[in-house]
């Protein structure tokens, strides 16, 4: 196990995570069927997102919450979906990394999952 400390580490983490996601019965359909993600475009955004979150590199430009609202309108993104996302993310981190940044990636992901689940639920009630 190694420390999570570089853009290359983030790329390994994100790639390994999405390998799990697309095979997952609970959330994979969002990526394959609902929005048909172009991973050649999506993955670099995710590398930059996590590089910004974990290392403060400010390489990510965008609004992740705004991107998810239209998906939520097509298919409800519910708490159990975010729980599964979080489970796969934590599992991927724990399989590959250790240390402070790995711990922070888990803590940040918990905050993101909880906030997104709440906001998607509220949006469906409007």
């Amino acid at each position: 196990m190694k420390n999570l400390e570089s853009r290359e580490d983030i790329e390994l983490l994100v790639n390994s995570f999405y390998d799990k996601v697309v095979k997952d019965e609970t959330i994979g359909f969002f990526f394959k069927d609902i929005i048909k993600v172009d991973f050649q475009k999506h993955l670099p955004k995710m590398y930059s997102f996590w590089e910004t979150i974990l290392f403060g590199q400010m390489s990510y430009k965008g609004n992740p919450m705004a991107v998810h609202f239209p998906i939520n309108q097509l298919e409800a993104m519910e708490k159990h979906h975010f729980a599964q996302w979080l489970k796969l993310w934590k599992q991927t981190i724990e399989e590959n990394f250790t240390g402070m940044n790995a711990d922070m990636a888990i803590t940040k992901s918990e905050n993101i999952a909880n906030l997104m689940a709440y906001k998607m639920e509220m949006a469906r009630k409007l």
Side-chain angles (χ1 to χ4, degrees), residues 62-73:
N63 182 339
M65 194 67 68
V67 172
H68 288 80
F69 285 121
I71 301 165
N72 191 48
Q73 289 178 338

Side-chain angles (χ1 to χ4, degrees), residues 44-49 52 57-64 67:
K45 289 178 188 176
M46 294 299 91
Y47 306 152
S48 293
F49 176 81
T52 298
Q57 292 297 321
M58 306 309 286
S59 59
Y60 178 75
K61 308 276 189 280
N63 182 339
V67 172

Side-chain angles (χ1 to χ4, degrees), residues 31-94:
F31 298 85
K32 294 183 293 188
D33 303 326
I34 304 298
I35 56 174
K36 297 176 177 64
V37 170
D38 178 348
F39 283 99
Q40 287 186 329
K41 291 181 181 176
H42 184 66
L43 293 176
K45 289 178 188 176
M46 294 299 91
Y47 306 152
S48 293
F49 176 81
W50 286 104
E51 183 178 45
T52 298
I53 295 289
L54 297 176
F55 305 142
Q57 292 297 321
M58 306 309 286
S59 59
Y60 178 75
K61 308 276 189 280
N63 182 339
M65 194 67 68
V67 172
H68 288 80
F69 285 121
I71 301 165
N72 191 48
Q73 289 178 338
L74 295 171
E75 181 75 32
M77 298 175 79
E78 299 176 332
K79 286 182 183 180
H80 73 278
H81 296 123
F82 289 101
Q84 183 65 10
W85 175 88
L86 189 57
K87 176 184 168 189
L88 295 173
W89 180 253
K90 287 180 180 180
Q91 183 182 71
T92 308
I93 291 170
E94 291 167 355

Side-chain angles (χ1 to χ4, degrees), residues 99-117:
M100 186 177 70
N101 286 332
D103 293 342
M104 186 166 51
I106 290 172
T107 300
K108 296 282 187 177
S109 68
E110 290 168 340
N111 293 337
I112 291 166
N114 289 331
L115 180 61
M116 291 199 65

